[in-house]
Amino acid sequence: RQRMPAMPDDGKCPMSHEEAVSALNNMPLEARQAPSPGQRRPLSTARMVSSIPRVVPEAEAKAAAAEASGAGGAGAAGAAGGGGGAGHQADSTDKWQYPSHQMFYNAMKRKGWEATEEDMPAVVAIHNMVNETTWREVLRWEAMHESACPMPRLEKLTGRPKDYSPKARFFSWFGRELPFDRHDWVVDRCGTKVRYVIDFYRGTPDPSRPFSFSVDVRPALDSPSALLDHVRMAVAGATADIAGAAATAP
């Protein structure tokens, strides 16, 4: 049976930290791939490309165009790479990239969290799975706007682990555990910026699933359009429940 890695007590994603970071995702502007002091074994520096489309900053887009046309080339790309793009994201990549095992290990060490080299494959896999699940939930909401915007993109994300949402606080009064983390994601809906609130909850322990979690993803109630989406989603859920009950009725 595989030993599950020790996760931080506060549950926060370690990839957000206080140093030279991007305003888009609180990540380091440069990928930290060098081994940490005292590291016992090498870790993979390979990075997985997510399924999440990202907004490519204008400087990166111009540098990529210049490189493709042969005008400016590597110099333009290098200038963009050191600028205000998304932290540790490869220039001209139109999807978000996940940190490597080495980057995640370094981030945990800098935070003072327990980290072992052996745990990194599982820890990074969990991190990536949580983000992919979150994006799928975002797309459920964005499907209501598919005709106007067939490909929404994630522009910015912010970790707010102790800034509990009003919804999370409300349900905690009735016995629900507070989420172990919160993110705010800003989605570019083909020119319209939409803020999503994501609460991350620990799931019920299950021997068959050593790590269990759930996510509560919804647009922030900061516009009439978001309020209408909440109403439409609630009606759709109620209709599906009624249809399901009717189908199973004797």
Side-chain angles (χ1 to χ4, degrees), residues 18-107:
E18 297 76 22
E19 49 185 312
V21 297
S22 166
L24 298 182
N25 60 354
N26 292 335
M27 304 278 187
L29 288 173
E30 297 181 3
R32 303 293 182 88
Q33 295 276 33
S36 290
Q39 186 173 322
R40 295 178 292 106
R41 52 180 285 190
L43 288 169
S44 172
T45 58
R47 304 179 62 187
M48 179 181 293
V49 178
S50 77
S51 69
I52 306 173
R54 77 182 183 105
V55 176
V56 179
E58 184 179 359
E60 286 186 27
K62 288 181 178 179
E67 187 172 14
S69 65
H88 75 61
Q89 298 296 309
D91 292 345
S92 309
T93 301
D94 63 356
K95 291 186 177 179
W96 289 87
Q97 286 188 307
Y98 291 126
S100 67
H101 297 173
Q102 184 67 64
M103 291 168 65
F104 215 95
Y105 180 85
N106 292 348

Side-chain angles (χ1 to χ4, degrees), residues 104-115:
F104 215 95
Y105 180 85
N106 292 348
M108 292 184 72
K109 284 294 189 182
R110 285 195 299 273
K111 282 289 189 180
W113 292 349
E114 180 183 352

